[in-house]
Amino acid sequence: MSEIRKAAVIGAGVMGAGIAAHIANAGVEVLLLDIVPDAAKSNGASRSTIAEKAVERLLKADPAAFMSKRAARLVTAGNTEDDLEKLAECDWIVEAVVERLDIKQALYAKIESVRKPGTAVSSNTSTIPLGDLTEGLPESFRRDFLITHFFNPPRYMRLLEIVAGPESDPATVERVARFADVKLGKTVVRCKDTPGFIANRLGTYWMQLAVGQAFELGLTVEEADAVMGRPFGIPKTGVFGLLDLVGLDLMPHVQGSLERALPKDDPFHATVRDVPLIKKMIETGHTGRKGKGGFYRLNRENGGKVKESIDLATGTYRPQEKAVLPEVEAASRHPKALLAADTPAGRYAAGVVARTLAYAAFLVPAAADDVVAIDEAMRLGYNWKWGPFELIDRIGAGPVAEMLKGMGEPVPEFLAQGKPFYRVENGRRQYLGLDGAYRDIVRPEGVLLLSDIKLASEPVLKNGSASVWDIGNGVLCFEFTSKSNSLDEGIITLLGKTQRLVKDKYKALVIYNEGSNFSVGANLGLALFACNIAAFGEVEKLVATGQQAYQALKYAPFPVVSAPAGMALGGGCEILLHSSAVQAHAESYIGLVECGVGVLPGWGGCKEMLTRWQSDPALPKGPMPAPSKVFETVSTATVSKSAAEAKELKFLREDDGITMNRDRLLADAKAKALALAENYVPPQPKELTLPGPSGRVALEMAAESFHKRGIATKHDLVVAAALAEVLTGGPADHIQPVTEAQVLELERAGFMKLIRTNATLARIESVLETGRPLRN
């Protein structure tokens, strides 16, 4: 199967430009084309100005569209008049122009005239059926055509819905799907060629129903979002907050398209209603976050920043109020109590959820062949914690059916079976088919999930903070299981036992988990408690024990491969720094953030960063450049915005691996560990050349300049001074080498000095209470 080495995206709007950026994130050249604007034809401006400005916007986007600004070099801006012939160089062409059939088909005719045979062509449409798109086009074009529906923003949303036509070449479809999976990190969901495909069809049904029911039952937007949020594993934005996020003006277009395309007997039509308030909000520019505000807004009048929400009854804004709903609080562990409550909130929950789940059942097999595809689409496209069929299993198919009957709604036959939609049989997860039989969920080749391993085995070692699993071929996997995967004495202790076990019986160790974050660092709550009772000896003991454990990882006689995803902060970052190698998920946010909470990296982070920068051949020689670079990163608590950026900051090495698809991370890390285990030799300790007191003074002066500019606070200077002491080697003389042990001793002393200060304890307390460090 030929690879995709170069791609093109036609249409440099928000979606098209975002798709191009993400293809560049995969390390693939991409041509971004758009029309030549009339103004450019007459005033001599660049004829590719639309695409060029799109790339400029991408470089400034927040959240960032590029994983590294270097990726922007892979995007070439052009236009459809002068550069169309360049499509002949491309292996995949993505069309992302306006949702008008005539414009798309005219473009396809031009593409067909220049593309090389076998080049995949796909549309990013979310509303037009594939059959309509290819009608009247040559068979050669229809064979290589498919729909690839990305979700916005393309870098961060994992879902990619793929639709193939009856004439689509399976090999072409598979080539695009494989590239999207492995290179772009997408979870590919195969959809039927039906209006709205899966996620937008079900998601629009759910949103319209939820909005209509809120008006009907007299709920406030805060109450509706509190109900239609966390109790059901839906993001806290709920429905009205989500509409503000995507834009109110988008919804009439999506609704109208589905309304026109779906059969008259489709339950979707029952959710369509005229909402004068929403129409008025769109007319006045209150389209959500991109406009003057939406259902929620921040009122900046008179110099204030008052959070407001709209009154659904009057259409006027009022101060935002926290929803006080005891039945929602009762649903914190399980939604059954909320669904059964005979209150407006309870009736709202039952009316929206039961009907939405029924519609999901209606979509099998109309929109997808099985429940797995629909659950994947809603989890990844709308960030639901549970897909609709997983949610039915939580509530119970029987109770859902009874709710529907009580509302006079039909119960889909698939739901009426009363069986759970998922089960575990012989250590394998299975799903229910339309015929009432269960089938194994089959993972794509190259996917290894710890959650699957857990179904069929028991941990090799375990305590209250971590577990160790045998993942086959002589490799153990160390998993954090503490709250937020924070690091504590239990993890440090089990890490030591695990190393002894691997040394005796196994080949390699992988450190990995499937939580939202690899690790947010040390358990600050325990540290604060110990300090409050003056148990500073216990704190210092934990720092020393952690240093010993991390050093043992670094110099273990077997390879240790860490595989982070999400945040790897503080002590979590230090584990990566001490590993033999790292295989990181592309969306890894890595940093030594201890200075933000008033302490220092105490488990060898300073030592390892000094070693990495001092070994950089591009850095000027001498004792000062490496400490300066580390001081710049660590004192500001800098966190990488991607794994690619983590390499630039040296939290990762250049030869550390990056996995785009989260589901492939463990398999890639295991493969790396086994490859290293072939002839593994642990590293040799390195000595450092550090500047000593003169260097410390220079770093302190740099911090003082930031303080004078109002950037650094008074306690920032105290922390910076302690950090400078460590990074410059304390009393070191630049002609005498400094050992790793000496730097570790300085780290430990600096950490303990700072944690005894009231200002640092106040910062830690602030982080635990508000999630943000105090700027004292």
Side-chain angles (χ1 to χ4, degrees):
M1 186 181 295
S2 60
E3 294 183 18
I4 293 172
R5 295 184 176 86
K6 186 172 183 178
V9 178
I10 305 177
V14 173
M15 281 303 299
I19 293 167
H22 196 50
I23 292 173
N25 287 334
V28 173
E29 287 184 66
V30 56
L31 181 65
L32 178 62
L33 305 181
D34 210 303
I35 62 171
V36 179
D38 291 337
K41 295 177 182 178
S42 60
N43 65 12
S46 170
R47 290 166 60 81
S48 302
T49 183
I50 294 177
E52 289 166 353
K53 288 182 177 178
V55 176
E56 290 174 11
R57 287 194 299 272
L58 289 170
L59 284 165
K60 298 174 184 176
D62 186 17
F66 291 113
M67 291 179 173
S68 165
K69 291 190 185 299
R70 296 174 184 175
R73 301 171 190 168
L74 294 171
V75 182
T76 300
N79 66 77
T80 53
E81 291 186 20
D82 305 324
D83 302 302
L84 206 64
E85 290 185 356
K86 293 179 182 178
L87 296 180
E89 306 166 4
C90 301
D91 306 300
W92 178 27
I93 301 166
V94 182
E95 169 270 301
V97 302
V98 64
E99 291 286 84
R100 271 183 51 184
L101 183 59
D102 58 335
I103 292 177
K104 290 179 185 289
Q105 287 197 320
L107 176 61
Y108 297 158
K110 293 178 182 178
I111 292 172
E112 178 65 0
S113 69
V114 296
R115 75 182 182 103
K116 63 187 177 185
T119 297
V121 182
S122 69
S123 174
N124 187 56
T125 185
S126 60
T127 59
I128 304 174
L130 184 146
D132 292 349
L133 292 171
T134 58
E135 186 176 1
L137 290 164
E139 185 274 336
S140 59
F141 185 86
R142 299 196 301 272
R143 185 180 62 241
D144 293 329
F145 187 82
L146 64 155
I147 289 172
T148 50
H149 180 217
F150 289 81
F151 281 67
N152 193 37
R155 170 182 165 182
Y156 299 96
M157 298 299 287
R158 285 184 59 189
L159 177 62
L160 178 70
E161 293 180 322
I162 282 187
V163 181
E167 298 176 80
S168 299
D169 177 19
T172 299
V173 175
E174 182 56 34
R175 183 166 72 251
V176 173
R178 177 78 180 173
F179 178 84
D181 172 351
V182 178
K183 296 292 187 179
L184 300 182
K186 300 300 177 188
T187 295
V188 174
V189 172
R190 309 293 178 109
C191 308
K192 302 288 186 68
D193 188 17
T194 55
F197 314 129
I198 299 173
N200 279 347
R201 183 171 174 184
L202 181 55
T204 304
Y205 177 96
W206 164 68
M207 287 191 289
Q208 290 187 166
L209 182 63
V211 169
Q213 289 282 292
F215 276 93
E216 192 174 307
L217 292 167
L219 271 67
T220 66
V221 292
E222 295 96 334
E223 289 170 339
D225 284 346
V227 172
M228 206 47 56
R230 287 177 172 166
F232 299 101
I234 293 168
K236 63 180 181 180
T237 52
V239 172
F240 291 101
L242 178 59
L243 284 168
D244 277 357
L245 183 63
V246 301
L248 275 67
D249 53 336
L250 177 64
M251 294 314 296
H253 296 291
V254 177
Q255 174 190 302
S257 174
L258 289 170
E259 194 177 1
R260 289 187 297 271
L262 290 171
K264 296 301 179 186
D265 61 347
D266 193 289
F268 179 89
H269 296 291
T271 69
V272 176
R273 59 181 290 171
D274 183 40
V275 184
L277 174 59
I278 294 179
K279 185 178 179 181
K280 180 183 177 184
M281 290 171 71
I282 294 171
E283 289 173 349
T284 58
H286 291 84
T287 54
R289 296 188 188 182
K290 65 182 180 182
K292 301 176 183 178
F295 294 104
Y296 299 94
R297 75 174 185 181
L298 193 62
N299 189 341
R300 300 179 184 273
E301 291 181 8
N302 301 319
K305 292 183 180 179
V306 180
K307 291 182 179 179
E308 296 182 332
S309 54
I310 205 162
D311 188 307
L312 296 180
T314 66
T316 58
Y317 284 96
R318 54 166 175 75
Q320 200 175 129
E321 298 175 354
K322 180 178 172 62
V324 180
L325 298 167
E327 55 272 66
V328 171
E329 298 300 319
S332 59
R333 291 186 175 272
H334 203 284
K336 279 187 177 181
L338 174 57
L339 291 166
D342 187 19
T343 64
R347 291 191 290 275
Y348 179 65
V352 175
V353 170
R355 289 184 176 98
T356 300
L357 298 181
Y359 193 57
F362 174 82
L363 295 181
V364 183
D369 285 329
D370 53 56
V371 301
V372 178
I374 290 177
D375 279 349
E376 289 262 58
M378 295 310 293
R379 280 200 312 271
L380 301 177
Y382 279 75
N383 287 324
W384 288 13
K385 184 176 181 180
W386 305 291
F389 294 98
E390 293 171 319
L391 194 52
I392 292 172
D393 281 354
R394 282 181 60 80
I395 300 166
V400 173
E402 289 303 313
M403 281 188 280
L404 289 167
K405 290 175 184 175
M407 293 181 283
E409 298 283 345
V411 179
E413 186 178 340
F414 193 28
L415 180 60
Q417 292 184 67
K419 292 182 177 181
F421 287 99
Y422 295 95
R423 73 176 188 183
V424 176
E425 190 75 13
N426 298 321
R428 297 184 69 89
R429 198 168 186 233
Q430 298 181 327
Y431 69 93
L432 181 67
L434 278 171
D435 58 0
Y438 286 94
R439 295 167 177 79
D440 288 345
I441 295 177
V442 179
R443 305 295 183 195
E445 182 183 354
V447 169
L448 177 65
L449 299 181
L450 192 57
S451 57
D452 287 345
I453 291 169
K454 291 179 181 181
L455 296 177
S457 63
E458 295 294 326
V460 177
L461 295 171
K462 182 180 181 180
N463 65 16
S465 301
S467 300
V468 182
W469 302 87
D470 188 332
I471 59 175
N473 305 100
V475 181
L476 289 185
C477 176
F478 190 97
E479 175 198 26
F480 309 139
T481 58
S482 56
K483 185 177 180 181
S484 300
N485 292 334
S486 59
L487 305 172
D488 57 20
E489 187 176 1
I491 286 176
I492 300 299
T493 300
L494 195 64
L495 201 53
K497 291 181 180 178
T498 303
Q499 291 180 67
R500 292 190 289 274
L501 180 61
V502 177
K503 182 180 177 181
D504 291 342
K505 296 183 178 180
Y506 293 86
K507 296 179 182 177
L509 177 65
V510 168
I511 302 177
Y512 163 90
N513 63 75
E514 287 170 0
S516 300
N517 297 304
F518 178 75
S519 174
V520 296
N523 189 321
L524 292 176
L526 291 178
L528 183 63
F529 175 77
C531 292
N532 283 338
I533 60 172
F536 292 106
E538 291 302 309
V539 175
E540 186 165 11
K541 178 182 174 183
L542 181 59
V543 175
T545 304
Q547 288 182 343
Q548 293 163 10
Y550 282 27
Q551 285 291 90
L553 274 183
K554 180 177 179 179
Y555 295 111
F558 52 83
V560 177
V561 176
S562 287
M567 290 188 286
L569 306 178
C573 174
E574 287 172 302
I575 283 183
L576 309 185
L577 293 171
H578 287 82
S579 298
S580 314
V582 175
Q583 185 70 35
H585 181 230
E587 297 297 349
S588 292
Y589 314 115
I590 304 170
L592 295 170
V593 297
E594 289 89 345
C595 288
V597 293
V599 292
L600 305 179
W603 285 339
C606 297
K607 164 183 67 71
E608 289 302 308
M609 290 298 287
L610 284 169
T611 300
R612 292 188 179 193
W613 278 108
Q614 188 167 283
S615 302
D616 186 352
L619 209 62
K621 301 301 179 185
M624 197 62 194
S628 296
K629 279 289 188 180
V630 181
F631 185 79
E632 178 185 327
T633 304
V634 177
S635 67
T636 55
T638 300
V639 176
S640 73
K641 294 180 180 178
S642 68
E645 193 175 291
K647 287 190 175 186
E648 297 168 14
L649 294 166
K650 296 201 183 301
F651 294 132
L652 298 180
R653 306 175 185 88
E654 275 302 317
D655 57 356
D656 283 332
I658 296 177
T659 298
M660 293 293 280
N661 192 320
R662 178 72 174 79
D663 290 346
R664 296 180 175 275
L665 182 57
L666 180 56
D668 289 351
K670 177 183 173 182
K672 182 179 282 286
L674 287 170
L676 288 172
E678 288 291 327
N679 298 291
Y680 186 70
V681 177
Q684 293 297 310
K686 291 186 178 181
E687 293 182 331
L688 294 160
T689 302
L690 300 176
S694 61
R696 173 180 56 77
V697 172
L699 295 181
E700 288 178 350
M701 289 174 64
E704 182 65 41
S705 70
F706 282 109
H707 178 59
K708 289 178 179 177
R709 290 159 55 191
I711 299 172
T713 67
K714 185 177 179 181
H715 192 55
D716 285 338
L717 292 182
V718 175
V719 177
L723 178 63
E725 176 82 4
V726 175
L727 297 180
T728 56
D733 186 321
H734 70 273
I735 62 173
Q736 293 292 327
V738 178
T739 65
E740 291 187 13
Q742 287 173 315
V743 179
L744 286 173
E745 186 177 341
L746 287 168
E747 280 189 25
R748 190 165 62 250
F751 184 98
M752 293 308 302
K753 178 181 178 181
L754 289 170
I755 206 163
R756 291 174 181 270
T757 66
N758 290 331
T760 286
L761 295 179
R763 284 193 181 188
I764 293 174
E765 191 171 351
S766 174
V767 169
L768 291 173
E769 290 180 358
T770 69
R772 295 185 299 275
L774 185 68
R775 301 297 297 142
N776 57 351

